[in-house]
Amino acid sequence: MRLLHTSDWHIGRTFHTHSTLEHLGAVLGALVTAVREQSIDVVLVAGDVFDSAAPSTAAIELFQSALQGVRHAGAQVVLTSGNHDSVTRLGLHAEWLGAAGIHLRTRWQRLDEPVVLGDDDGEVLVYGVPYLEPSLLKHEHPDRRLASHEDALRFAMDRVRADAAARGGRSVVLAHCFAAGVPAGDVERDISRGGLDLVPASVFDGVDYVALGHIHGRAVLSDTVRYSGALLHYSFGEAGKPRGGWVIDLGADGVRSVDWLELPVPRALRVLEGPLERLLGDPALDAAADCWVKAVVTDRVRPTDGMRLLQRRFPHCVAFEWRPEQVDDGGTATYAERVRGRTDTEIVADFLALMRGGEGPSEFEQRLVTDLLAAGEGAA
């Protein structure tokens, strides 16, 4: 049996206020083509299918189109819910959709009820473990310690392993969590590192393959415990990281091979850094004209109208940061020591120099400050 492990589609998410639906549609179209060409039997989606608990009509339509494409390409689908999804909305009509080869696992009460699939080597049990809130489980199981996500996942995996042992066959688990061993830069925006959200990868021992979601960069925690990452880049911290999914071939004794399936990046991310004049005029940056661009401007003085100027050259420049190369830290003297014996005009000039990395007021600014101080003294 051949599986394709994906996660974190985040249908409906924006990128710096820009819709990503068109780009995600292109990626999902490429995914459907890969399903057909590589004879994928099952597509796994390990949570955060949508970016919102109340997705728009356009987001739902893209979701339906993607599922229809995968089914027409010959694969079944198994999905579980993430922390961005509505358990109720995503799980709506789960029973009917299961009969059509689209299997939704969003309720924690059913996490030990597998989707039972089969090939020439026997049954494959696919378990969907949704994003688990320990507080929700406590009310149903007051006799068990459920204070953290690790507690909740251990509870879930105990039930999964018990069911798998009773049924026999190979087992695959989809889970949406933050497992230990993921690089800091790959952590999704609303995860707290450490503390109650951290789950040791050993929690998933005893399963043939674990398809994890929640982290936006691909990661290999072990040969059989992996994150596939998101289908699109959703922050500049993800720039340059591949997008795609893992293709898992299951043999009679478990995982036979795992290979990376590269999916297209409709618009690449570029972080450009340097003085504004160079960013606007350097021919070497021409290739960034069609990219999402974050500009880090290093001029000593913050440029006037810098974003507008950058967008003339880079139409998809969506983020601007002023980070001067030289910054005057003001030394160790206190404010009272720095201003003692100085005129108001000199104090303003020193303040501007401090804020601008050493660049004091221009002649126009100097005249303006002098006039304003004189007007203030006259009013007093």
Side-chain angles (χ1 to χ4, degrees):
M1 182 174 294
R2 176 166 284 186
L3 314 174
L4 173 58
H5 165 197
T6 73
S7 73
D8 296 270
W9 290 12
H10 284 285
I11 305 174
R13 191 166 192 170
T14 59
F15 184 77
H16 292 267
T17 74
H18 294 267
S19 172
T20 62
L21 284 177
E22 182 179 351
H23 288 171
L24 183 57
V27 175
L28 289 171
L31 184 150
V32 169
T33 299
V35 167
R36 181 180 297 108
E37 292 179 347
Q38 299 203 26
S39 300
I40 302 294
D41 298 300
V42 187
V43 174
L44 310 175
V45 189
D48 280 354
V49 178
F50 292 104
D51 191 59
S52 166
S56 67
T57 299
I60 294 172
E61 289 175 348
L62 177 57
F63 176 59
Q64 292 173 335
S65 175
L67 295 183
Q68 185 179 42
V70 170
R71 290 296 292 127
H72 285 169
Q76 297 194 57
V77 187
V78 182
L79 308 95
T80 192
S81 52
N83 55 302
H84 283 255
D85 297 309
S86 164
V87 170
T88 302
R89 284 190 174 91
L90 185 60
L92 193 64
H93 305 310
E95 301 299 334
W96 296 101
L97 289 172
I102 299 169
H103 309 280
L104 298 166
R105 290 294 184 268
T106 64
R107 296 173 52 207
W108 70 264
Q109 294 90 341
R110 298 188 62 195
L111 59 83
D112 58 352
E113 298 178 20
V115 178
V116 181
L117 306 172
D119 60 12
D120 292 341
D121 296 313
E123 290 186 342
V124 176
L125 311 174
V126 183
Y127 297 88
V129 180
Y131 184 79
L132 295 175
E133 288 288 356
S135 58
L136 298 179
L137 301 181
K138 285 180 184 179
H139 297 293
E140 299 286 341
H141 298 275
D143 57 327
R144 179 152 179 167
R145 184 182 184 276
L146 293 166
S148 68
H149 277 263
E150 178 180 351
D151 295 336
L153 263 296
R154 288 193 184 280
F155 165 81
M157 288 305 301
D158 285 347
R159 290 178 53 169
V160 166
R161 280 186 287 263
D163 185 79
R167 293 175 184 268
R170 294 153 292 170
S171 56
V172 173
V173 168
L174 286 71
H176 199 81
C177 67
F178 174 35
V182 178
D186 289 332
V187 177
E188 213 260 322
R189 64 185 177 189
D190 56 4
I191 302 172
S192 62
R193 286 185 58 82
L196 297 182
D197 285 343
L198 187 63
V199 178
S202 60
V203 166
F204 299 103
D205 287 352
V207 177
D208 288 297
Y209 184 81
V210 181
L212 295 179
H214 206 18
I215 304 301
H216 284 188
R218 71 176 182 183
V220 179
L221 306 188
S222 73
D223 289 343
T224 58
V225 181
R226 298 171 184 247
Y227 283 98
S228 62
L231 291 186
L232 288 180
H233 292 120
Y234 288 115
S235 75
F236 281 99
E238 301 168 19
K241 294 180 180 178
R243 303 287 89 168
W246 296 108
V247 176
I248 306 103
D249 280 315
L250 289 179
D253 298 322
V255 174
R256 189 166 56 197
S257 66
V258 182
D259 298 297
W260 179 250
L261 171 67
E262 194 86 18
L263 290 174
V265 176
R267 177 164 288 137
L269 276 63
R270 290 285 302 274
V271 178
L272 307 180
E273 183 172 351
L276 181 61
E277 184 177 356
R278 184 178 74 79
L279 298 185
L280 295 175
D282 188 351
L285 301 180
D286 287 347
D290 194 44
C291 298
W292 294 120
V293 169
K294 175 182 179 180
V296 180
V297 176
T298 60
D299 300 60
R300 293 182 66 181
V301 178
R302 185 184 181 97
T304 301
D305 215 7
M307 187 63 152
R308 181 180 63 83
L309 294 172
L310 286 161
Q311 286 178 335
R312 286 180 178 177
R313 184 177 188 197
F314 308 108
H316 309 292
C317 181
V318 294
F320 177 95
E321 179 182 345
W322 176 50
R323 191 191 302 162
E325 289 181 331
Q326 299 179 5
V327 179
D328 186 356
D329 63 6
T332 59
T334 66
Y335 178 76
E337 292 170 338
R338 293 200 303 272
V339 302
R340 185 177 297 123
R342 305 182 70 78
T343 67
D344 289 345
T345 303
E346 291 171 333
I347 291 173
V348 173
D350 286 348
F351 175 78
L352 290 173
L354 178 63
M355 294 296 100
R356 294 171 170 177
E359 185 84 13
S362 65
E363 291 184 10
F364 169 77
E365 291 170 333
Q366 189 71 53
R367 291 196 303 271
L368 181 62
V369 169
T370 301
D371 293 343
L372 289 172
L373 290 173
E377 291 173 358

